[in-house]
Each structure stands twice: as structure tokens, then as C-alpha cells.
Amino acid sequence: MKFEVYDKAKWHYESKDMPNELPEIAGATHIAFFVRWCVENDLMSREIEEDCAEELQQIKDKELDCRDFFFNDMDGVLTSNELNTKGKQFAAAYYHSDKTKFAKKFGYYLADYVNWLKNKLGNQYNPDTSYFYVENSEANYNEIKEICDKRFSEFEKG
């Protein structure tokens, strides 16, 4: 598979919409949720598994904020290099584009994330800034995890 950049934290924290009062890490919560889901589902590359075994276990044990791992060990960038073959296939089909065959049929991560946030916030949803304020909590992650689990199941069914 070709090299692909799925998302970069700086695309978000350097955007004009990023609220000044928030730290850069707030621009990466949505990416870290997806990375954590990949970690928990053994979709990381062999290199990441070997180089970061301790950190991956800490993420699985809920001892390490995946945003910290994403910034410190992945340089704030999610690419195909960080994922194994199945992870690359899923991310290429689902993560950032509505143009894939899978996304046209089922949806894609960033749209699912925005829809989740709209449902969660209702009238308080702001399309420009709301996702920067998402709390990096177990409850929020578990809701995103359910969405990713569903999409991965759809992906595996073909």
C-alpha cells in the first residue's frame, strides 16, 4: 500500500478556529481516540509494537494518555507507517475521506466524529470550535470506540 498521511495534530491546532486558551493537545483528541482504538485492536505496525511496547501496554491499561503517546512517539502525525496491513486498509477506507467505496456506503471517521459531537452537544454544537473542547475522558472514548467497533465490523464483512 502507498504511504498515506491520515491526519496531523498541527492541521487542527494551527487552524484559525483553534481557541487561543486551549493547549495544542486539544487539537488532537479526535486523532488520539482513533489511535487508541487501533492500539486496543492490535492494528499498530510491528515497528511501533517493538519500539513502544511499554507505552502501548500503558495505553491498554489506561495508564497513559494516548494524546501524549501520539505527540511524543508519533510526532503528532497519523500515517500508514504506524499501522499494520489491516490497520492501513481500515484507515484508508474509513479515516478521513468520504470518497472511498466503504465511506460512501457506511460513512467515515471524521463525519462520524462530528455527528457524535452534534448529538452530544445539541444546540451548543459549534461546527468551528466544538471538537477542540471534547474532554479526553473514558466515557467519550467509549462512545467513539463503539462507533469504530461498528465500522470495523462493517469493514470486515466487506
Side-chain angles (χ1 to χ4, degrees), residues 6-7 12 28-38 78 90-98 100 102-103 106-117 131 134 140-141 143-149 151:
Y6 304 115
D7 212 341
H12 305 283
T29 302
H30 69 288
I31 308 168
F33 281 166
F34 186 80
V35 170
R36 179 175 168 188
W37 182 87
C38 288
L78 175 59
F90 181 58
Y94 176 59
Y95 189 81
H96 66 93
S97 175
D98 61 353
T100 67
F102 177 83
F106 298 105
Y108 66 106
Y109 180 71
L110 298 178
D112 282 347
Y113 192 86
V114 166
N115 288 333
W116 165 77
L117 194 53
Y131 81 95
V134 171
N140 284 340
Y141 170 71
E143 291 174 18
I144 295 299
K145 179 184 181 302
E146 283 184 34
I147 295 167
C148 290
D149 286 345
R151 293 297 187 229

Side-chain angles (χ1 to χ4, degrees), residues 6-113:
Y6 304 115
D7 212 341
K8 292 183 178 184
K10 77 178 197 170
W11 290 345
H12 305 283
Y13 66 71
E14 288 183 354
S15 80
K16 65 176 177 46
D17 296 323
M18 175 73 175
N20 292 332
E21 73 273 11
L22 295 177
E24 290 179 354
I25 203 165
T29 302
H30 69 288
I31 308 168
F33 281 166
F34 186 80
V35 170
R36 179 175 168 188
W37 182 87
C38 288
V39 168
E40 291 177 354
N41 286 276
D42 299 318
L43 298 175
M44 303 305 285
S45 71
R46 182 173 298 150
E47 182 180 339
I48 292 278
E49 287 179 353
E50 290 171 359
D51 293 347
C52 304
E54 185 177 331
E55 292 89 343
L56 297 181
Q57 189 58 52
Q58 289 174 335
I59 290 168
K60 289 178 180 181
D61 293 340
K62 300 174 185 78
E63 296 170 355
L64 176 62
D65 183 336
C66 196
R67 296 178 308 173
D68 291 333
F69 172 76
F70 178 63
F71 274 96
N72 296 332
D73 295 284
M74 296 173 62
D75 299 323
V77 181
L78 175 59
T79 73
S80 53
N81 285 349
E82 284 79 35
L83 302 172
N84 64 22
T85 300
K86 188 178 273 191
K88 288 176 193 179
Q89 292 168 342
F90 181 58
Y94 176 59
Y95 189 81
H96 66 93
S97 175
D98 61 353
K99 296 179 181 11
T100 67
K101 183 179 174 183
F102 177 83
K104 286 177 183 176
K105 185 173 181 180
F106 298 105
Y108 66 106
Y109 180 71
L110 298 178
D112 282 347
Y113 192 86

